[in-house]
Amino acid sequence: MTSIREFTCDDLFSFNSVNLDYFTETYNLSFYLSYLAKWPEYCLVAEGPDGRCLGYIIGKAEGQGEDWHGHVTAVTVAPESRRLGLARKLMQLLEAITIDVHNGYFVDLFVRKSNATAITMYTQMGYTVYRRVLGYYTGSEDALDMRKAMPRDKDKKSIRPLKHPITPDQLECD
Amino acid sequence: MSQPKVQGAHSEVWDRKLRPIYDALEVKNYKGVIKLVDSFLKKFPGDHTARVLQAWAQAGSAKTSAANKSVDAILAETPTDLHCLNLLESLLQRLDRGKDSLAAVLAASAAHPKDAGLLQAVFDIHIKQYDYAKAQATAMRLHRVQGAHWLWCAITLLALQAMTATSASPEGKGMQAKQLWLLAETMLTKQVAATPVPANGYSEPESGDRPKRAEGLTQQQHLLWILVLVEQKKFEAAYQTFNSPHGGALRCLACDRYHRQAQFARQAGHHAKAAQLCYLALREDNNNWHATKVLLDICGPPKDAVINDHHDSIDSVPLADLSLDAACSEEGLRVPTWSEACSFIESLAVVKAVTLPQEKFEMQDFKGVTDGFAQVGQSALRGPLLARVDIAARLSSHARASTSQEGSANGAFLVNEQGCSRLAHAIVVYIRALGHLACCGSDLREYYALLSLPERKWLAQQVRHTIETYQNPPMDVRDDKEQPALDLFVLLRYQINLAEIEQEIHDLEGIDPARALQRAIKLMELFAGSEHFTRDLDEKQRGPSDELLALAVCSLIGAARSDPSHGAEWLMRAYLMVEAAQIKRKVSAPLRLAATALAGLLGAPNIANEQFAMLDVKHVQRDSVEGHFLYPLFQSAASEPLCAAAEQHVIDMHNEHAHRAATTIIEAFNSGSFVKAIEFEQFRIRMARSHTHALMASQAAATKLYRTGQVEEQECDLDQLRFNEDFNFRPFWYPPHHGQPSTAAFDWWRQLPEAPAAAVDAYPGGARLWFQIPKVAEMEHILEAQAWRQASRDAIRLQQLQTRVLSFCYAPQADLAPLSADEVTQLAQLVGVPLDELPAQCKALLDQDQQHKALDGKRATQCLQAAVFQAAHLFQVSSAQDGASPANQRLLENLGLCRQLFLALVAWANSGLCCDASSTSRDTASGSSCDTASSSSLATSSGTEGAIGASWGAGEWTWAGLVVHGAAMWLGPCLQVWLRQSASQAAAQPASEQHQSLHKALQDLGESFLKGIMSLVLALGVRIDQLNSQQGLVSSLEVWSGANRQAVFTVSVNFSH
């Protein structure tokens, strides 16, 4: 019913069924092309039976040493295709790539503190809150930095939560 | 002078002292920069970087010649420092000496031939100039200095050259392309052979965020390998790469690896292997739609498939008996039969241990839905059940094709004794099982289109029955505590599905206005009644019944089709309904889009703009969304500021990408994303050839000419245009417009009564309108898309030719190429009236008695445009001649003709609105009459105040408003040009008698035109001036007559629930 394939430049012309939704940000072309150039394996599209874009995920590998990890930059699903497990499936693929291709220690993502639906889904998928980032989003909303340890992090050191929140300028990879 | 070497501690001093210069430059303190550089040069004499910064300051303070002189001096010394060269490159770009930067870098590289940094700078510059041959040669040199990465770059660049050669001249350079592909393959094969087979499967970070290159091929290298083979149609070899020791490089494509491999296997003729791969893919994920389709394509329905097929096959295939297991085993590999493939796909749900609804519908069918089995279970049903629908659709198409070929009644096989086709039956099963999912409607819409009207009716009846059974289960079921309780959410979703099917039926049958209104009210009541489901939902989330809003709007548009004489009122009702819904759904994109279109069609471009702005459309969406959705509404309303802003958005976005495109390609090369580098180049070309961009550039050039008299050269190969438009989100009732954007609203109104018939002819039921097909804008086999593209090209061509004609008027002394005879003929054809026949036609039209009443709006506009065009053409001819000439005489005649036509149009349009309040009838060519006052209330309240509004309908409003708007967009600028030109001629030279006549004629025409426009704007005043939302429950709209600001009627909608 749904097919997952790599994200291509031409998808930028046809992802409006997803991106016209309020929750999905449309970035400038350089943003997408930069991700496609550097981490093509992390950019995937969920395509409907008629070729319609149902959702996509964009991510990257970053960090050094034990901080080497996969990062979910954007994961979004068209409103009418939600509650089908598509986001979950895309996330699982990103995790698999982090393990198989990059051998990362963990996968992390940022989510609005108020986005209870997404937080619940990530929690069900095994993500835990690692730290809070104060005023990360426009409008000064805090972000939750959620992480899930990958098999390489046997002791799950990467996901031990920090005791104190941090500010955006204290982020390592941005 | 040689550049001093700066190293170690010396480098730190150099760096520290240079920093204040950068700081000063950043704040544009150019004097400070020059002073600091002078001081710096005393310590580091002749330092190139400092001198480049000084030249920057000179350029910044408008001392261009000094800057150029400084740059020349630096270039003469052949700077070799990379940082300095980068600075110099930016400066040279600013000084419009981009070519010199290549020379500078080449000279530096020649001085240090083994300097990899300089070589890469040369490579980058070649890429920036899209000179892939030279970039390839540089990559080969880099390969010798820096290793294998650059050889892969060289192979990629060979591929890029081959693609360019093929696209530039598919025939002439075919051989060259072939050789380039072969060379790429040869190099690639050697490179693959030299690459060690990977020991482990991953990359690790070496430093920063750049992963260390792992052993073996990377995914991108492998994909490049496949691409080179596939471009040469070597599918067998492409297929075999998956089986090579390097095949593991594609592990990160696990999600679609089977599908890709199956495609190549199929193209290579290995159908059995392809089927096996699909089989494996589906075993892994039964929702893999690509694999489902490929498997069904391979196994294809045999001629007797319809006869042998049975509805109950889904239940009759035990897993153990699946012969596809045998067919797809390594030992007995063969192409499965159609029956085996179907059985296998249908059984996938069984494999996932999910209970399927029974063929004979009973209460227990709901069990799967209502007992809350896991999401995984639900989505696991989607693939197999939709596959079942798809199989039925294939059989249906197959049977229809057989029927048409044999002329027999084979179609009868489609329908069983209950009048139900297999397809309709499969759809019912799908709805019963998955009707509670929001995607159900969109999953099935494609298949609804294949059903006949009786089939749809049967389908609606079945869904209705489903709802009734669900609401009123039999007593024994009711008493059974094991049975699930009534789930209101599921019930709601079934009702929505029923509404959607009924909408399809109405599309076929039509709907009378009163029923449409009742239907809209019913849908809105259902929507209002479902609001409790959103109690815990974020207001920005999609609600569970949002489709009902769209269906209600469709219903009202359907009423407008049936009752075009009151079309504007129906649209206003629809607008108000949407606006009321927006109280609850503030950020719903479908509602914003519907409101935008409705407001635009009602002549309220500012409101349309406000609605659209809430969607925050930006960047690439300017190209794919705004250009076709919003811009024509602005153009139709002749809103120049809004048009200009939209044009600028698109042009800026394209300019930005054009500026950055090469950098993205370089980034792809640097990251080892070779296939992406090719993809980026194709994307760059696609953007550069964008239809939206060409349209906006053409319109902007025309506007610039009209406003400033400046002629702008336009280079645009219309045959090469690319259509990036995404139509997918457009409401059913707002199809893409064909042709000049300025007539979009006009044409929508004109075609309103014809729309349902047209849709039925093209697509049964209109369920699957052409523009709803994803990515349809560039599809070759869709006739409507072809026609739309051709009309779009013609619109730009017409705009370009008109602009060229007018440019002669503005700048007759400029060295402009005159229009060729072909172009003149083309222009006349695009206007719609053959050049030779024009005067006679226009005169005949004007000679009719009471021509303003008999005038057909479309024809009038056409003639007016044609007359104006011919006048412009003649003016072009006459401006090249002195004194009296036959051409000038004809010009005078034509200008007179224009004036008469225009006045007739104005009078005619005015007559449509100036009937007084008590008028009860009005004779027009279309035969429409003035109705009694009518209520515009959607639900409960309000009525008509004043009476003019009562006579409104699509006909009047359309002709009066949109014809003139459309004509104004075209005619206004022409007149401005003529008046200006005429005035300048009169001032510049002693006026001959004919010139004086010409001048007078132009003035008369211009004044008539301007007065006419003004009076129409005042008289028409058809604007949505006030939109009120009170306490979140009631929306109202007051429409005013422009002249005396008297409300002509008020529409309001009660949306309380």
Side-chain angles (χ1 to χ4, degrees), chain B residues 56-311:
Chain B
W56 259 106
Q58 287 166 337
S61 49
K63 295 174 183 169
T64 311
S65 61
N68 276 317
K69 205 172 166 185
S70 300
V71 166
D72 288 339
I74 298 165
L75 288 174
E77 293 168 18
T78 317
T80 56
D81 177 70
L82 252 183
H83 177 68
C84 173
L85 284 166
N86 286 336
L87 275 176
L88 196 56
E89 187 193 348
S90 303
L91 177 59
L92 286 165
Q93 294 289 349
R94 179 180 172 141
L95 295 170
D96 204 17
R97 294 174 57 180
K99 286 181 182 172
D100 288 343
S101 63
L102 175 62
V105 174
L106 283 174
S109 182
H112 300 279
K114 291 191 176 174
D115 186 322
L118 287 172
L119 268 177
Q120 186 160 352
V122 174
F123 177 85
D124 289 355
I125 286 188
H126 287 316
I127 296 286
K128 283 178 186 171
Q129 296 180 340
Y130 306 112
D131 188 338
Y132 296 129
K134 286 183 180 167
Q136 180 222 331
T138 312
M140 292 303 291
R141 287 175 62 196
L142 273 160
H143 162 54
R144 286 190 279 277
V145 180
Q146 276 205 320
H149 167 77
W150 290 100
L151 196 64
W152 285 100
C153 291
I155 295 166
T156 308
L157 287 157
L158 278 169
L160 276 169
Q161 291 172 70
M163 285 175 166
T164 310
T166 308
S167 61
S169 175
E171 292 162 13
K173 293 199 176 176
M175 188 52 74
Q176 189 191 339
K178 198 175 173 183
Q179 286 165 348
L180 286 163
W181 282 121
L182 266 176
L183 181 57
E185 187 187 348
T186 308
M187 287 171 69
L188 212 151
T189 308
K190 279 185 190 170
Q191 197 59 17
V192 170
T195 306
V197 175
N200 62 18
Y202 52 83
S203 310
E204 288 186 51
E206 192 172 50
S207 63
D209 61 353
R210 290 292 305 277
K212 185 176 71 179
R213 196 166 303 287
E215 288 183 329
L217 293 187
T218 65
Q219 176 215 0
Q220 284 287 313
Q221 287 167 346
H222 198 141
L223 288 176
L224 180 64
W225 188 13
I226 291 173
L227 182 141
V228 168
L229 294 170
V230 169
E231 286 291 332
Q232 298 176 88
K233 301 198 183 333
K234 295 181 177 177
F235 299 115
E236 173 71 33
Y239 164 64
Q240 292 301 341
T241 67
F242 285 84
N243 302 322
S244 79
H246 294 285
L250 298 174
R251 63 190 166 279
C252 51
L253 288 173
C255 50
D256 70 343
R257 178 188 160 127
Y258 282 133
H259 165 244
R260 280 175 186 247
Q261 201 175 356
Q263 273 184 325
F264 296 135
R266 193 179 169 206
Q267 285 168 309
H270 303 306
H271 295 286
K273 189 66 194 173
Q276 186 199 33
L277 288 162
C278 294
Y279 169 85
L280 291 172
L282 284 165
R283 278 275 189 221
E284 198 170 86
D285 175 8
N286 69 350
N287 273 330
N288 188 329
W289 194 246
H290 283 158
T292 305
K293 292 287 239 187
V294 174
L295 181 59
L296 291 176
D297 286 348
I298 292 168
C299 301
K303 279 194 170 178
D304 58 348
V306 178
I307 304 166
N308 294 337
D309 216 64
H310 302 294
H311 286 170

Side-chain angles (χ1 to χ4, degrees), chain B residues 595-755:
Chain B
T596 301
L598 288 166
L601 293 170
L602 283 165
N606 286 315
I607 292 177
N609 190 40
E610 284 166 19
Q611 287 282 0
F612 195 77
M614 298 299 285
L615 291 167
D616 198 21
V617 159
K618 55 194 173 190
H619 305 310
V620 69
Q621 290 176 313
R622 303 279 188 206
D623 202 45
S624 60
V625 177
E626 190 175 318
H628 66 88
F629 197 90
L630 189 64
Y631 186 71
L633 296 173
F634 290 165
Q635 277 273 359
S636 297
S639 177
E640 277 199 37
L642 292 175
C643 287
E647 286 159 11
Q648 204 54 49
H649 288 154
V650 171
I651 291 167
D652 287 350
M653 188 273 294
H654 277 275
N655 286 346
E656 188 190 335
H657 180 64
H659 182 67
R660 296 255 323 140
T663 311
T664 64
I665 297 171
I666 291 169
E667 196 172 13
F669 275 117
N670 289 342
S671 304
S673 296
F674 306 111
V675 174
K676 288 294 170 192
I678 294 171
E679 191 181 309
F680 287 0
E681 166 64 0
Q682 290 169 335
F683 183 69
R684 178 187 76 83
I685 293 169
R686 182 167 178 174
M687 287 290 281
R689 293 174 180 170
S690 155
H691 158 250
T692 303
H693 182 231
L695 175 71
M696 300 295 176
S698 159
Q699 300 277 1
T703 308
K704 190 175 179 184
L705 175 70
Y706 305 151
R707 283 186 176 162
T708 66
Q710 289 177 14
V711 179
E712 200 167 82
E713 287 287 328
Q714 291 182 63
E715 283 182 23
C716 173
D717 184 349
L718 296 179
D719 293 332
Q720 297 278 336
L721 283 185
R722 296 296 302 270
F723 296 88
N724 304 331
E725 284 84 348
D726 180 8
F727 296 142
N728 218 236
F729 53 85
R730 291 183 78 107
F732 299 144
W733 44 268
Y734 182 50
H737 177 248
H738 290 226
Q740 291 283 359
S742 58
T743 61
F746 164 72
D747 287 338
W748 189 90
W749 282 104
R750 187 169 56 79
Q751 291 163 1
L752 183 62
E754 304 158 16

